[in-house]
Amino acid sequence: MQHFVLCIDHHFMKSIFLFLFTPLFCAAQINPVKDSANALHAYEFQKAPNKILRNVLLGAGYTAVVYFTYKYEDKNFQHESQEDKSKVASLILTKGASPLGLGKTQAIALGATTGFAFLTKNKTLKHTVYIWAGTMLLNEVVTSKLKTGFQRHRPNTGDAFNTFDGKNGIDGNRSFPSAHTSNAFATATVFATLYKDKKWVAPFAYGMATMVGISRVYDNAHWASDVLAGAAIGFLSAKTMIATDRLLQKKGIYIYPAWSRGPSLTLGYKFK
């Protein structure tokens, strides 16, 4: 198989990562607040210049971390993660955490949660599974396109960290970004955002997602920068879906799951 070692110019890498990750912190401008009935979450855009600046700086900082990791630390993380593996760590990460990021696992969890939401007639949970499903679809499209476009070689191939086949490859090398990680962070962000009033949800959700990311480096399936990119894509996918839904609600348009001879979506309009 033909491949090439791609020494990516640092200006190009900065542009790519700025394009991918800066918007996710802009999306973080959307913060949940409760309405007067304390039953539904509403969202409003924070317009204060200092908050916009803060989030832009956070985005730039995250971009710098990803680039620095790719350029200088991917090999080091990969080397250190493969030394002195223990049975306990393998049990927790390989057997426990890693499968949580599989698309199949996510689909099963989404289906089970949807069924529970309908059985219990929980409106908040029904809305959550709709957001979750849309997020997973968006995340899958973005992650898959990037994998196909970059076709980065995984660390377990023994190839250099900067070996890419590019879009003209055979689509056999799909290291960048980590789909397990993007799936995990997409799900974590949905629940952490929509259940922000539950103090334990965000630490638990993001903690589990982080374990998934660590497991992918531990299993020698991904470089550290793949995992960082996957986390950002999952986060951004969820924030984009939530922002879109809240924008539609402001316009009086509501989309929610329903059941009519099978799963479906219902579109409604609230006249003012």
Side-chain angles (χ1 to χ4, degrees):
M1 186 183 80
Q2 295 183 346
H3 64 266
F4 63 93
V5 176
L6 180 64
C7 297
I8 301 178
D9 177 76
H10 69 283
H11 293 298
F12 174 75
M13 283 300 298
K14 287 178 181 178
S15 298
I16 289 293
F17 284 119
L18 279 170
F19 173 75
L20 289 175
F21 305 131
T22 300
L24 72 89
F25 291 100
C26 294
Q29 295 295 320
I30 304 170
N31 298 316
V33 296
K34 293 184 178 180
D35 63 2
S36 58
N38 200 32
L40 296 174
H41 284 96
Y43 285 73
E44 62 179 5
F45 288 97
Q46 298 291 341
K47 297 180 180 179
N50 61 329
K51 290 189 177 181
I52 294 175
L53 177 61
R54 179 198 65 187
N55 285 279
V56 169
L57 290 175
L58 284 173
Y62 189 87
T63 300
V65 169
V66 176
Y67 174 72
F68 180 86
T69 301
Y70 162 78
K71 191 73 175 179
Y72 302 106
E73 296 297 331
D74 267 348
K75 290 191 295 184
N76 294 332
F77 278 122
Q78 189 265 344
H79 177 72
E80 292 177 7
S81 68
Q82 301 311 299
E83 291 186 341
D84 302 321
K85 288 190 174 183
S86 69
K87 291 183 178 180
V88 175
S90 296
L91 179 63
I92 295 173
L93 296 174
T94 304
K95 300 296 184 181
S98 185
L100 297 178
L102 282 170
K104 180 172 66 175
T105 304
Q106 294 280 319
I108 292 172
L110 176 60
T113 306
T114 302
F116 181 77
F118 277 95
L119 285 174
T120 58
K121 298 181 180 180
N122 188 319
K123 291 183 178 180
T124 301
L125 194 56
K126 283 183 180 181
H127 184 246
T128 299
V129 296
Y130 151 65
I131 296 294
W132 188 7
T135 294
M136 295 310 297
L137 178 60
L138 177 60
N139 179 71
E140 168 61 24
V141 171
V142 174
T143 302
S144 181
K145 288 293 184 181
L146 288 173
K147 281 180 174 291
T148 303
F150 282 91
Q151 294 198 47
R152 186 184 193 183
H153 289 216
R154 295 180 185 272
N156 56 23
T157 63
D159 297 325
F161 75 96
N162 58 349
T163 306
F164 296 75
D165 290 335
K167 63 181 181 179
N168 295 321
I170 62 172
D171 200 22
N173 297 290
R174 296 169 61 85
S175 187
F176 179 89
S178 167
H180 279 65
T181 309
S182 67
N183 286 338
F185 271 88
T187 297
T189 303
V190 168
F191 282 90
T193 304
L194 298 182
Y195 289 88
K196 191 174 183 179
D197 57 323
K198 307 293 184 183
K199 300 297 184 182
W200 62 272
V201 172
F204 177 79
Y206 283 125
M208 294 301 295
T210 300
M211 292 290 285
V212 171
I214 292 173
S215 75
R216 302 309 288 158
V217 178
Y218 181 84
D219 290 343
N220 206 28
H222 283 285
W223 304 98
S225 57
D226 298 335
V227 168
L228 290 175
I233 292 165
F235 179 89
L236 179 57
S237 296
K239 288 295 185 181
T240 300
M241 184 62 189
I242 292 169
T244 302
D245 175 67
R246 297 309 175 182
L247 181 61
L248 290 174
Q249 286 195 23
K250 282 187 175 182
K251 301 296 183 181
I253 301 172
Y254 293 84
I255 303 175
Y256 51 90
W259 188 276
S260 178
R261 297 181 182 179
S264 62
L265 290 177
T266 297
L267 176 65
Y269 182 79
K270 183 178 180 181
F271 292 93
K272 297 182 179 179

